[in-house]
Amino acid sequence: MERTRRLMRAAAAFGRQAPTIGPEAFRRLLDAEPRFRHMFGGSKTALRDQFMSALSTALVTRADVGRFPAATIRRLEQLARENRKFGVAPRDYATLAEHLLDVFGERLPAGPDSGAQVDALREILDEAMSLIAAAAVEADRTDGPATYVGRVLEVQRRTRDIAIIRVHCPEPIPFTVGQHIPIRSPLAPGIWRDYSPAVPPNPEGLLEFHVRIVDGGKQSRPLVVASRPGDEWVFGTPRGDLGRVLDEYRGPLDDDPPQGRHHLPEPERRELLMIAGGTGLAPLRAMIMESADFPSPPPIHLIYGARTPGELYDLRTVWELARNLPNLTVTTAVEKRNDAPLTDPGPFSFHPNAPLPRLGVAADVAARMHRGGELAGKTVLIAGRGEMIKATRQRLVAAGADPRFIHHDPVAETTVAREAGFPVLD
């Protein structure tokens, strides 16, 4: 019992001080290992904050429940896969652990319990770092290249803030619909940012990304404003599992299931309600395209939201999909009817057969269209920025949606780090 309490005290103390322990430990790592100085480029701060946020949460969980839960182990293993793109070796995690322990010990108030807390933290920190290092070794053995290279084929400036960029990778990236892929462009050296392909995987290695300028974004603005055909992009390991929702729909429906007491009827497949905010359309559009090839595609209702009609940057494409896919229904939603000057709808934001967008944010439109408990029977997929995902989930649950059937990517790592008290860079 005393050991458990000591582990919990050590993990809690580390979690409280992680936002300041991390910068100092990483500084010492860079001083001790010169090869690290140029390894992370402009991603140093974001990488550090994400790593420390995930690690401190994992240690607190380990101390609390006595083991690393499966979800925590998966997150630590994913960290190892993501860090491969920087050239981090499995042995580097033990070196980082020593610096973290040194800084942690220095920050503890002097007292008879301080040495015991350092020893307790070492126990669970070594366990966590061993998991990460083992995952890195396994990824080197099974996951293929740490990075892939592609060239920009086409850039379409759809709005003042949004561009669609098509890329070709000679060696196709092994991803699944709904995942996002880290991208490094020569326009923002050393900075990685995640984008979701808007098309399903294909043997030709063709990718399409929808990129919006994020306020203050160090990579998004150059990508939208200055990307040109021929630019070379580097890609890291894909991550995310939003596309797993489609797995239960991939097989054909059994129109004549066997009867009898030993054969229960097949459960009725739930309809999919997809809610896209801005460029969050990209992963959902890829899922719609992939599901079109299923033997029995599920009914899909896509609610495509934007601030103004002109920002429905891919309306023409999704409306043509709806015209050709009998299982797809599309509703558009805008927060304002009128666009700002010089931002009127372009050719891709308009379709002659598309009805007038409904007024309101996409979550409110969804709630108004599914009154009377209808949301409870839907499987909901949400894609957009972190703030949009949180607000949409809360609105739909309040309107009757079953939270067990609401799916989205984990809120952006930067949002998690910010809420934990870490400084965040774009």
Side-chain angles (χ1 to χ4, degrees), residues 344-418:
D344 290 337
F348 286 92
S349 302
F350 171 79
H351 193 286
N353 297 325
L356 192 69
R358 294 174 182 251
L359 188 61
V361 297
D364 288 339
V365 171
R368 293 200 303 266
M369 295 183 70
H370 298 85
R371 290 184 174 134
E374 295 178 17
L375 280 173
K378 306 284 187 181
T379 293
V380 182
L381 294 90
I382 309 171
R385 298 186 68 180
E387 297 82 359
M388 175 267 181
I389 290 175
K390 283 187 172 181
T392 300
R393 181 184 177 88
Q394 292 171 357
R395 178 69 179 91
L396 295 184
V397 170
D402 188 335
R404 297 173 302 170
F405 294 96
I406 298 179
H407 304 272
H408 51 79
D409 268 337
V411 175
E413 294 287 352
T414 52
T415 302
V416 174
R418 184 182 293 113

Side-chain angles (χ1 to χ4, degrees), residues 75-85 88 93 131-133 135-136 139:
R75 182 66 191 103
L76 295 177
E77 291 173 345
Q78 186 62 36
L79 283 174
R81 295 187 182 93
E82 293 168 12
N83 290 341
R84 293 175 69 222
K85 64 181 179 285
V88 179
Y93 294 103
L131 284 172
I132 298 174

Side-chain angles (χ1 to χ4, degrees), residues 130-144:
S130 295
L131 284 172
I132 298 174
V137 171
E138 180 65 13
D140 287 341
R141 187 179 68 84
T142 63
D143 287 7

Side-chain angles (χ1 to χ4, degrees), residues 47-72:
L47 172 69
R48 179 197 70 208
D49 295 340
Q50 292 169 15
F51 186 88
M52 291 299 297
S53 176
L55 180 63
S56 58
T57 300
L59 295 181
V60 170
T61 303
R62 165 64 178 83
D64 186 34
V65 302
R67 57 183 175 80
F68 289 108
T72 302

